[in-house]
């Protein structure tokens, strides 16, 4: 077992991100300590994650009650949330207890929100099994579910007690999932780590077995931990935690309009990153060469830079109008001064946004 720790520094709510391989024994020790203390805990996972890693899962969670939910973005729903609440109640989880969450971003967001809201807040631990969850959604305490009208519109800030990032779990990812996670890695390079972006752009494509990957995951987690520590609840008037949403105003609109499940989150983010780069150039930031650099890198990982099939412009614009970053009815975007340096931009004209959607293939 090889481990390294980062810390998300939030005062009394600080917690570690444990990174390494072979972390099953580390997690099982935590489970055993909690169980021996008498605190009631349960496990939430999704069917595919548990089935892909049966030995790891059993080694970590033997003896704990388990709820396996259906995989996929459609499970981030009010109906599924109620099922988790009822499961926690049936298992007599009290306020001394909590939840271990094993899976990708969907189960992590859903389970985190269930923990935030059940009994007005119980503890939870994140064990992400996808690259996207490892570098992004498992860290920072953003939890939530989707509505038909928009992505992540209902949720809460609720920090985990710890995050365990075992890169060995990536070896069983379905083929589409790894590139989708790389979209978030690329995002971190674009918003705050130009050296990482350059490394990705100038070297052979990374895969799950690449020895460079753990270092890249660590860089992403470290950057996010610093941003969250400085602006936990996205309250900053400019910059701050909102910068982590580079490309996401576009991406969430795509997911809501296409129907949850047509695009993996990272695939929609890839299109959003391309559009955010184009928007940056239109606003006088950077130059056209950066658009080509971003698109070329995304395509190297098999990620889309335009819509797979046309989507109605009116529906995309309507979905954007319900985005969480809207302020006083005006769209708010994250753009780049240059690759590696992102800023927030308020008051972007709808006409310009519509032009960009046209470039992406809207109708």
């Amino acid at each position: 077992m090889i481990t390294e720790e980062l810390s998300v520094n939030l005062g009394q709510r600080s917690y570690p991100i444990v990174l390494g391989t072979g972390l099953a024994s580390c997690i099982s020790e935590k489970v055993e300590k909690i169980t021996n203390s008498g605190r009631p805990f349960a496990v939430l996972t999704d069917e595919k994650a548990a089935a892909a890693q049966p030995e790891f899962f059993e080694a970590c969670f033997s003896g704990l009650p388990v709820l396996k939910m259906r995989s996929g973005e459609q499970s981030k729903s009010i109906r599924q949330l109620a099922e988790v609440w009822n499961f926690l109640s049936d298992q007599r989880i009290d306020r001394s207890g909590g939840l271990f969450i094993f899976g990708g971003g969907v189960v992590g967001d859903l389970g985190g929100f269930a923990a935030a809201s059940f009994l007005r807040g119980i503890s939870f631990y994140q064990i992400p099994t996808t690259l996207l969850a490892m570098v992004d959604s498992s860290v920072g305490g953003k939890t939530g579910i989707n509505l038909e009208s928009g992505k992540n519109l209902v949720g809460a800030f609720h920090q985990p007690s710890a995050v365990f990032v075992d890169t060995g779990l990536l070896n069983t990812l379905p083929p589409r999932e790894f590139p989708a996670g790389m979209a978030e890695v690329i995002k971190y390079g674009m918003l705050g780590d130009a050296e990482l972006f350059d490394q990705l752009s100038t070297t052979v494509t990374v895969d799950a077995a690449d020895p460079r990957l753990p270092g890249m995951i660590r860089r992403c987690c470290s950057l996010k931990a610093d941003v969250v520590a400085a602006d936990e609840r996205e309250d900053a008037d400019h910059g701050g935690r909102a910068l982590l949403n580079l490309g996401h105003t576009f991406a969430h609109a795509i997911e809501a309009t296409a129907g949850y499940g047509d695009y993996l989150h990272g695939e929609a983010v890839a299109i959003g990153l391309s559009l955010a780069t184009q928007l940056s150039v239109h606003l006088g930031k950077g130059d056209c060469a950066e658009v080509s650099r971003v698109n070329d890198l995304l395509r190297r990982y098999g990620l889309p830079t335009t819509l797979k099939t046309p989507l109605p412009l009116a529906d995309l614009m309507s979905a954007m109008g319900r985005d969480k970053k809207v302020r006083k009815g005006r769209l708010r975007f994250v753009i780049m001064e240059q690759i590696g340096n992102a800023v927030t931009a308020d008051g972007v004209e709808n006409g310009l946004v519509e032009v960009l959607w046209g470039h992406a293939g809207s109708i």
Side-chain angles (χ1 to χ4, degrees), residues 2 4 15 27 58 79 94 105-107 113 143 165 171 173 239 246 254 257 259 268 278 313 317 321 323 325 334 336:
I2 303 171
E4 179 182 5
Y15 56 93
I27 297 167
E58 180 66 18
R79 180 176 179 178
D94 60 35
V106 170
V107 69
F113 186 39
T143 71
V165 176
N171 294 325
L173 277 185
L246 178 65
I254 292 169
T257 303
Q278 295 175 54
L313 174 61
M317 293 299 294
D323 186 81
K325 294 182 293 303
V334 182
M336 294 178 297

Side-chain angles (χ1 to χ4, degrees), residues 124-151:
F124 74 108
Y125 292 82
Q126 291 273 25
I127 302 94
T129 61
T130 67
L131 179 59
L132 187 148
M134 288 180 183
V135 300
D136 193 66
S137 60
S138 68
V139 177
K142 271 191 176 180
T143 71
I145 59 172
N146 304 327
L147 302 180
E148 289 184 10
S149 58
K151 173 114 172 174

